[in-house]
Amino acid sequence: MAAACHPGPTVAVTLLVAGLAVAAGQDAYGCVLATTAVLAGQLSIGWSNDAVDAARDRAAGRGAKPVVGGAVEARTVRTAALVALALCVPLSLGYGVLAGVVHLVGVAAAWAYNLRLKRTVLSWLPYAVGFASLPAFVSLGLPGQPRASWWIVSAAALLGVGAHLGNVLPDIESDLALGVRGWPQRLGPAAVRLLLPVPLVAATLLLALGRPGPLGAAAVGLALAAATGGSLMGRHRPRLPFLAAVVVAGVDVALLLWRGTGSG
């Protein structure tokens, strides 16, 4: 069950929200509540993804998937996804009604991706909405319900688009063979490798320009160097653009945590 929840993204997103809550000045109870709500949402997203894709994963021979490998039944994963979603609703609303609605919109977008949108040209949209909802959720749960700055929300959305491209890239060929034609699959692996750093560098620029300073300028320089180097050398070393994107994404997350939600 732990492997079926997509533990990497689940842990990463949950820790990102925990860090944002601390950086925004949320009290201990609020930090725990926000983090728990996001964890429940991410578990529901990861489990529903494996449950929905079980037949497709079997056809692609993805034996490392717990459902395909026989470690757990698809019905069990589906039930766990629904239970986690049911828990996510009161936990999110408990952090604040408006904040909770924003978070649940992001979770709903991710479920829409799993159920339908991953196979359409709009496959990027749930990632953008889901990531953008996170700083807004954290900020609206603070006293006075301040709104997260537009540049923080926009940078998070761009980070989500980059996450989508990076997540899909290794499976593009097998996805196409099974008829999955989301946005990255339509572009093809070569184009995605080149495009992958673009939304991430754009996020870096937004975060740096939102509150100018020497740290932001250094982050932009590092992001541009990594992205440019990865693209130029990608012809001879195909994995370099992806590794460069990981570096840029790390820079973005560090800036996002340093800036907090940017709420007034």
Side-chain angles (χ1 to χ4, degrees):
M1 290 300 293
C5 79
H6 296 223
T10 295
V11 171
V13 172
T14 302
L15 290 179
L16 174 61
V17 168
L20 282 174
V22 172
Q26 182 61 271
D27 61 27
Y29 174 76
C31 288
V32 171
L33 188 56
T35 303
T36 306
V38 169
L39 176 59
Q42 290 300 305
L43 288 172
S44 79
I45 294 164
W47 282 328
S48 67
N49 184 277
D50 265 26
V52 170
D53 286 351
R56 190 178 298 111
D57 289 337
R58 286 194 186 95
R62 295 170 182 167
K65 294 269 191 172
V67 175
V68 177
V72 64
E73 294 184 2
R75 179 176 58 184
T76 303
V77 176
R78 187 181 303 111
T79 300
L82 293 173
V83 170
L85 181 62
L87 289 173
C88 179
V89 175
L91 287 169
S92 298
L93 296 176
Y95 186 68
V97 175
L98 183 56
V101 169
V102 167
H103 180 234
L104 292 173
V105 167
V107 173
W111 272 73
Y113 173 85
N114 290 341
L115 294 171
R116 171 60 183 165
L117 290 182
K118 73 182 299 178
R119 299 183 294 277
T120 74
V121 73
L122 295 177
S123 61
W124 59 272
L125 185 59
Y127 273 82
V129 172
F131 273 71
S133 72
L134 298 177
F137 168 63
V138 170
S139 183
L140 288 170
L142 296 169
Q145 297 182 322
R147 296 181 180 179
S149 298
W150 69 268
W151 46 274
I152 292 284
V153 174
S154 299
L158 288 167
L159 186 59
V161 174
H164 175 44
L165 293 171
N167 183 56
V168 170
L169 179 57
D171 299 322
I172 287 180
E173 298 293 351
S174 60
D175 284 343
L176 288 173
L178 294 171
V180 178
R181 291 183 54 80
W183 178 49
Q185 289 88 349
R186 294 167 193 249
L187 291 174
V192 170
R193 286 191 191 95
L194 293 176
L195 180 62
L196 179 53
V198 173
L200 300 174
V201 172
T204 310
L205 287 168
L206 271 178
L207 292 168
L209 294 175
R211 289 180 182 171
L215 183 58
V220 171
L222 176 59
L224 287 173
T228 303
S231 296
L232 290 176
M233 293 186 287
R235 292 182 180 178
H236 306 291
R237 298 182 180 180
R239 284 188 57 82
L240 274 182
F242 178 75
L243 295 176
V246 171
V247 172
V248 179
V251 171
D252 290 345
V253 169
L255 276 177
L256 197 57
L257 293 173
W258 180 54
R259 301 300 194 191
T261 60
S263 59

